[in-house]
Amino acid sequence: MPPAPALKDARALLKRVYGYDAFRGLQENVIADVLAGRDGLAVLPTGGGKSLCYQIPALLRDGCGIVVSPLIALMADQVDALKQVGVRAERLDSSMDQHSRNAALSAADRGEMDLLYVSPEGLGTSLAERLADMNISLIAVDEAHCVSQWGHDFRPDYRALGRLKGLFPGVPRLAVTATADARTRADILAQLNLTDPSVHVASFDRPNLTLSAEPKVGNRTQRVVQLVKARAGASGIVYAATRSAVEDVADALEKAGVPSLAYHAGLDTGIRAARQRQFLLEEGRVMCATVAFGMGVDKPDVRFVIHADPPKTLEAYWQEVGRAGRDGEPAEGVALYGPADMNRSLQWTYSSDAPDEVKRVQLTKTRQLFAFFNGDECRRGAVRRYFGEEKVDPCGVCDACRGELGASHDATRWAQMAVSAVLRCGQRIGRGRLVQHLLGEAKDDFDTELSKLSTFGIGKDLPKQGWNRVFDALMFEGLIAEGGEAMRPVVIVPDAEIAKALFRGERTVSLREDLAAPRRRSRTKGAARAAGQADLSARDQAVFDALRQWRTDLAKSRGVPPYVIFHDRTLAEIAREKPSSPEALREISGVGEKKAQAYAGDVARIVAEAA
Ligand code: ADP
Ligand code: ZN
């Protein structure tokens, strides 16, 4: 047996192959455990460098590594990027012909393959058995939260991965994911049958993300166009809830002159794949998509994620918004939300046929999500606490930290009036009629009947708009809910105890100023600029632009995304340092041995010409 590879080998490899000087966060700890042959689970934030946690041990340990990954697009990108740095990697998926499949497998059999990427459904019995006869260094399960129904992206095919323990005895298995609360983590360990696993959970902080949330007011599509135009030239993702909403936003953006793409499950696979590819390959594209888009799209230079409609849960929010700024450079997340979104989500859960236990968890998650959007706590801080972190400092850059939400003021008295109106009126009328009732307006016989109640007209000193905000706030806080038939929603009080506490003044309700009179904001804070450019002189900027053009052409001719050649940050450092030899180029972060050899000539020429 060769001696077990040590961490110092891992560090040397990090520099030689990937061109990085140091491990990030928990990478080193995770890698040490895998090198020691242990099973493990690593929960690292998006952009935390999960791939290196299994790629490096696979390169150091004897044999070929298997990576189970849910999406073909993800595999294709990772394999491209690995080949660029000289790693022998291939993917085995259903779109491949038999010949290339066999070639990849024979190479692995001969010990001439470092990593094989497979999908969970592709890892059927015959392939698994064939691989089990080979020398396998490790098995990595990417996006491991898909194994758990508590995660937000449950995939039945993942369940079957538990059997790998029996098929590959003694082979370390590492599960990695960016989102898993405690319950999901426990489920992953159990479902995958991990033996005495080492568990690493990193902080959920994403210091480079600036977050904000705003209530939907007026035309939300136009608001999205406004937000995107304020970030012109940057690459971004706009999430919308439905296919038609996606099409609408994409059309509106095109009309406004923003190059955009639409992506949803209603498009056929070929179109979807082509658009995803286009998004990766071209700079400055805006992808309008349902959540069908994104898992496994690890484009590092996405500068913003806008939720035209809110996500399903905070886990989903963190993962979706986390697709911005994987390169560690400043990036933004802006979410639009409204009470109708919350109601739709609650109704959807009520009417689903999930077991009650699961429903209860989902209902709570929906309420937590909207309380988060509508709250006035530091955004990043709130998410981190939600994921169980204890000592959390305010981020200093979100809308709440920057004081953009306006002072919150006490609205308990209004809330008491609204809730008593709901109860007096018998929990059988909708919001519009309740507001009229509070304002003392009677438009038909039924209203006139209700006008005999003591709550009629008690709210005359708040305008209609203000009442709507009060009802929104009550809804977000779970003090009222919309029940009844979906088409004619009536307002009900779901929890009599909380209502009593409200009347006794033990439970208070506050309103943000911008709920009563929302202000429109459109900041960009320079996130739209390419990464690392901030302090370039005019001369260096010219070099940077020339390098970027060279990268665009080269990427196009090879059919790979530009960032697979070099990241923006790496180009900026080259523009500043102007390396003229392969050795000097090697000193730049993000340049490994292979790329230094391949590109030193081009880089030196461009630097000389442009500087
Ligand atoms: P994740 O899958 O966790 O979102 P990736 O593995 O895609 O993250 O890594 C995100 C980016 O960070 C990649 O471009 C990767 O090359 C880079 N990266 C990873 N580890 C390091 C490191 N130790 N130093 C510098 N950059 C790193
Ligand atoms: Zn903050």
Side-chain angles (χ1 to χ4, degrees):
M1 283 273 285
L7 257 183
K8 81 172 178 358
D9 305 322
R11 275 188 220 111
L13 195 84
L14 178 73
K15 182 65 184 162
R16 181 167 61 79
V17 176
Y18 300 89
Y20 296 133
D21 291 321
F23 286 113
R24 266 189 198 157
L26 294 174
Q27 270 179 337
E28 186 160 352
N29 310 50
V30 177
I31 290 172
D33 285 338
V34 182
L35 288 178
R38 276 185 80 178
D39 281 359
L41 165 64
V43 186
L44 306 186
T46 313
K50 287 183 285 297
S51 339
L52 261 51
C53 291
Y54 51 81
Q55 289 173 4
I56 288 185
L59 291 171
L60 288 172
R61 284 174 63 92
D62 197 28
C64 176
I66 301 174
V67 184
V68 183
S69 171
L71 281 183
I72 292 180
L74 169 75
M75 295 191 232
D77 281 349
Q78 288 223 356
V79 168
D80 277 351
L82 284 166
K83 286 181 175 169
Q84 291 288 322
V85 295
V87 172
R88 300 167 301 179
E90 286 297 343
R91 67 194 156 103
L92 295 175
D93 71 59
S94 44
S95 71
M96 277 174 81
D97 60 80
Q98 201 55 39
H99 177 76
S100 348
R101 257 176 100 84
N102 281 333
L105 283 167
S106 328
D109 218 2
R110 290 192 305 272
E112 290 164 7
M113 185 64 68
D114 301 311
L115 283 157
L116 275 178
Y117 283 74
V118 296
S119 64
E121 57 279 11
L123 198 53
T125 315
S126 64
L127 178 60
E129 280 173 1
R130 182 142 181 219
L131 291 169
D133 286 336
M134 301 181 188
N135 189 9
I136 298 300
S137 55
L138 61 81
I139 300 175
V141 178
D142 206 351
E143 309 285 356
H145 60 276
C146 295
V147 86
S148 169
Q149 62 167 325
W150 306 117
H152 55 280
D153 228 336
F154 176 53
R155 301 194 166 205
D157 283 317
Y158 263 71
R159 278 287 155 95
L161 296 177
R163 76 188 198 292
L164 296 179
K165 181 190 170 90
L167 275 168
F168 297 86
V171 174
R173 286 169 305 142
L174 176 68
V176 299
T177 172
T179 50
D181 58 10
R183 186 203 305 259
T184 308
R185 295 200 286 270
D187 207 23
I188 293 172
L189 300 180
Q191 297 295 337
L192 292 181
N193 250 315
L194 298 183
T195 312
D196 179 29
S198 76
V199 179
H200 297 279
V201 183
S203 162
F204 280 85
D205 196 16
R206 292 286 311 278
N208 59 322
L209 289 188
T210 298
L211 304 175
S212 62
E214 45 180 270
K216 288 183 181 176
V217 185
N219 184 321
R220 78 103 150 66
T221 303
Q222 284 314 314
R223 178 58 183 153
V224 171
V225 170
Q226 205 177 16
L227 289 166
V228 172
K229 284 184 79 175
R231 291 154 182 80
S235 166
I237 304 174
V238 177
Y239 281 113
T242 62
R243 295 171 190 187
S244 65
V246 165
E247 300 280 359
D248 285 351
V249 174
D251 287 349
L253 285 174
E254 280 295 334
K255 283 204 189 82
V258 180
S260 63
L261 297 161
Y263 185 108
H264 53 70
L267 298 167
D268 63 61
T269 331
I271 294 183
R272 268 188 287 163
R275 291 188 180 170
Q276 171 155 338
R277 207 76 205 133
Q278 207 178 344
F279 178 65
L280 297 179
L281 293 176
E282 293 173 14
E283 311 203 39
R285 279 267 170 189
V286 176
M287 179 63 103
C288 304
T290 57
V291 291
F293 177 77
M295 190 166 65
V297 175
D298 56 358
K299 182 172 163 58
D301 56 356
V302 173
R303 297 267 69 85
F304 62 83
V305 168
I306 294 173
H307 279 94
D309 298 309
K312 283 249 152 5
T313 59
L314 267 169
E315 283 88 343
Y317 171 70
W318 206 230
Q319 190 165 53
E320 286 156 23
V321 86
R323 293 184 180 127
R326 280 172 170 246
D327 52 10
E329 303 298 327
E332 286 177 280
V334 184
L336 306 184
Y337 67 98
D341 298 312
M342 170 156 157
N343 198 47
R344 203 172 306 118
S345 188
L346 294 173
Q347 296 301 334
W348 187 83
T349 304
Y350 284 128
S351 61
S352 79
D353 42 52
D356 279 353
E357 189 193 1
V358 174
K359 273 191 189 180
R360 258 194 303 278
V361 173
Q362 281 170 350
L363 292 171
T364 310
K365 288 192 167 190
T366 301
R367 297 214 165 86
Q368 285 171 315
L369 175 77
F370 285 88
F372 160 76
F373 282 142
N374 205 48
D376 53 9
E377 265 185 282
C378 168
R379 305 285 179 194
R380 238 194 279 147
V383 174
R384 292 171 65 192
R385 265 194 296 278
Y386 175 82
F387 285 115
E389 283 183 53
E390 276 159 16
K391 288 197 218 82
V392 178
D393 291 328
C395 78
V397 293
C398 70
D399 51 358
C401 285
R402 292 165 59 96
E404 288 169 355
L405 300 179
S408 59
H409 43 190
D410 186 53
T412 309
R413 195 167 70 89
W414 306 119
Q416 289 166 340
M417 288 181 190
V419 172
S420 39
V422 174
L423 293 171
R424 286 286 153 77
C425 295
Q427 306 191 60
R428 60 198 160 122
I429 57 177
R431 173 200 287 223
R433 213 185 264 268
L434 280 162
V435 172
Q436 279 174 28
H437 177 82
L438 285 159
L439 292 172
E441 295 167 11
K443 298 205 167 138
D444 58 24
D445 291 351
F446 184 65
D447 290 337
T448 310
E449 182 68 29
L450 297 178
S451 74
K452 292 172 193 140
L453 300 170
S454 62
T455 42
F456 185 73
I458 52 167
K460 281 191 180 134
D461 42 345
L462 191 66
K464 183 170 168 213
Q465 162 84 347
W467 278 115
N468 280 326
R469 299 295 154 242
V470 172
F471 276 92
D472 288 352
L474 290 172
M475 175 101 189
F476 293 133
E477 306 226 352
L479 282 153
I480 59 170
E482 291 192 358
E485 300 152 57
M487 299 308 291
R488 274 193 55 246
V490 300
V491 177
I492 60 167
V493 174
D495 186 331
E497 287 310 308
I498 304 183
K500 276 186 206 149
L502 177 72
F503 294 133
R504 286 195 300 263
E506 292 159 15
R507 168 82 187 243
T508 59
V509 174
S510 58
L511 266 186
R512 263 159 42 181
E513 232 156 46
D514 77 338
L515 283 178
R519 276 177 301 126
R520 293 306 205 182
R521 286 168 284 123
S522 48
R523 294 171 291 115
T524 56
K525 303 180 49 212
R529 298 193 71 201
Q533 273 187 93
D535 52 346
L536 289 183
S537 67
R539 175 165 164 259
D540 294 352
Q541 182 70 44
V543 180
F544 177 86
D545 293 340
L547 287 165
R548 219 163 176 229
Q549 188 56 51
W550 162 77
R551 181 183 69 177
T552 305
D553 297 343
L554 184 64
K556 208 174 231 150
S557 72
R558 300 217 173 148
V560 298
Y563 55 79
V564 165
I565 313 275
F566 283 132
H567 284 195
D568 284 340
R569 168 159 291 273
T570 302
L571 292 187
E573 205 179 320
I574 295 175
R576 224 173 278 126
E577 302 299 328
K578 310 189 182 53
S580 54
S581 65
E583 295 69 39
L585 186 56
R586 277 286 272 119
E587 296 298 308
I588 308 279
S589 173
V591 185
E593 207 167 50
K594 177 116 191 275
K595 288 185 182 175
Q597 288 303 335
Y599 304 134
D602 281 2
V603 166
R605 177 176 52 76
I606 293 159
V607 168
E609 280 169 14

